[in-house]
Amino acid sequence: MLRQTSQLLPALLSRREDAACLEVLDLGPARPETVAYFAGSRCRLHIADLFAELPLAWEQEAPDYAAELAALLPLAPASRLDVVLFWDLFNYLPVEAIQALQAVLRPHLNPGSRAHAFGVHKRSAPENTHHFGILAGDTLALSPRPAAIAGYAPLSQARLQACLSDFRFERSVLLGDGRLELLLLPA
Amino acid sequence: MIGPSIHIKGTVSGDEDLLIQGRVEGSIELGQHTVSVGESGKVTADIRAKTVKIEGEVAGDVSGGEKVIIAKTGRVRGNIVAPRVTLEDGAHFKGSIDMDPGDTPAAKPAPKVAGNLAAGAEGGNPELELKHG
């Protein structure tokens, strides 16, 4: 397991200290580090693992992305998310699916919600081959993916920013390999 | 113990610890005891016990009065409610986890960010923060 420091995690996780019950949506696979990290406080952790659905198997001619994604996300109508962990999911989704995912999440966000994602500065940036977890308030854990994920097709930074109309890029950090780490807030 | 060849449909309840190596469909209620789902166990049921350890497959909601452990061979789809939940590396889980450790000390303050430049991943991975406005 590799460790990666993150300048953005402290801001992402700042509500952990004052939320009565932190509600987190992790769109990656369940990772021991993430469960252990949040086990230290009262919280509800939703683990959806959309990466297990990649490449999207329902890419027929006119897929109903919103309906398919809603079925995959275990959110009750009353769920209000404090933290959303997209990781590098956007690098594997078509624009229509990213927009549908935002539509599914829209009722569950509030002005204090914060989200984390990885994009790319240039589309030629190499593919990440790890799953992510949260090891500490400023450290990510990187574990090798058991199998490669097909369909790596990252959007340019400008295209992703335009596509994520429900969020604004609060902060971003350009990593040495050309990837971007993003802190997103509701627009 | 429910052996590998046993298949139970209905409610399982009792006053002792239970190891499941077979199949159970329905519900399992052992409030003050330990339920262990062995590697060959397949449970399609809600489980309520003091401690639940899962090495096999569970589809259903799991309530642990003390703790729930999903071992590296475990596969769980459902919702978990317990003060403490442990997931071992290799375990598969989809659903929600409600944790309330109760009397654990308050979370540490988030570390301060030193500046715009910081060390990156192990092995050196320089970062440059970009401003948005």
Side-chain angles (χ1 to χ4, degrees), chain A residues 2-3 5 7 17 30-32 39-48 53 138 169 171-177, chain B residues 85 87 89 94-101 104 107-108 110-111 113 115-116 119-120 122 125-130 132:
Chain A
L2 293 173
R3 297 163 185 247
T5 56
Q7 293 186 52
E17 290 144 49
R31 294 297 311 155
S41 54
R42 187 166 179 236
C43 102
R44 176 170 295 163
L45 177 59
H46 305 282
I47 298 174
E53 313 297 329
D138 63 349
F169 285 25
R171 292 173 65 192
S172 62
V173 175
L174 176 59
L175 304 177
D177 56 4
Chain B
V85 176
L87 187 79
D89 201 5
K94 270 194 183 187
S96 298
I97 302 174
D98 275 86
M99 293 180 282
D100 183 358
T104 56
K108 291 179 187 173
V113 177
N116 286 352
E122 274 181 356
N125 192 2
E127 301 170 350
L128 173 65
E129 182 164 2
L130 306 177
H132 292 272

Side-chain angles (χ1 to χ4, degrees), chain B residues 11-25:
Chain B
T11 299
V12 176
S13 61
D15 199 22
E16 60 184 285
D17 294 347
L18 175 66
L19 169 61
I20 300 169
Q21 294 286 17
R23 295 177 63 183
V24 177
E25 295 176 50

Side-chain angles (χ1 to χ4, degrees), chain A residues 24-132:
Chain A
V24 180
L25 173 62
D26 187 343
L27 292 166
R31 294 297 311 155
E33 307 84 23
T34 305
V35 174
Y37 175 78
F38 287 110
S41 54
R42 187 166 179 236
C43 102
R44 176 170 295 163
L45 177 59
H46 305 282
I47 298 174
D49 192 8
L50 290 188
F51 288 83
E53 313 297 329
L54 297 174
L56 301 181
W58 13 276
E59 285 190 38
Q60 59 259 16
E61 197 166 311
D64 186 346
Y65 287 116
E68 300 284 359
L69 287 166
L72 292 170
L73 294 178
L75 296 174
S79 286
R80 293 294 176 270
L81 301 169
D82 298 295
V83 176
V84 181
L85 302 170
F86 290 109
W87 304 124
D88 57 346
L89 181 66
F90 298 141
N91 293 341
Y92 297 89
L93 297 182
V95 167
E96 296 79 9
I98 294 174
Q99 291 169 335
L101 181 57
Q102 289 179 92
V104 172
L105 295 179
R106 195 171 298 141
H108 304 290
L109 299 178
N110 60 57
S113 300
R114 294 167 189 223
H116 181 280
F118 286 104
V120 295
H121 182 57
K122 291 184 178 178
R123 296 191 65 211
S124 58
E127 181 182 12
N128 158 67
T129 57
H130 294 83
H131 283 309
F132 297 96

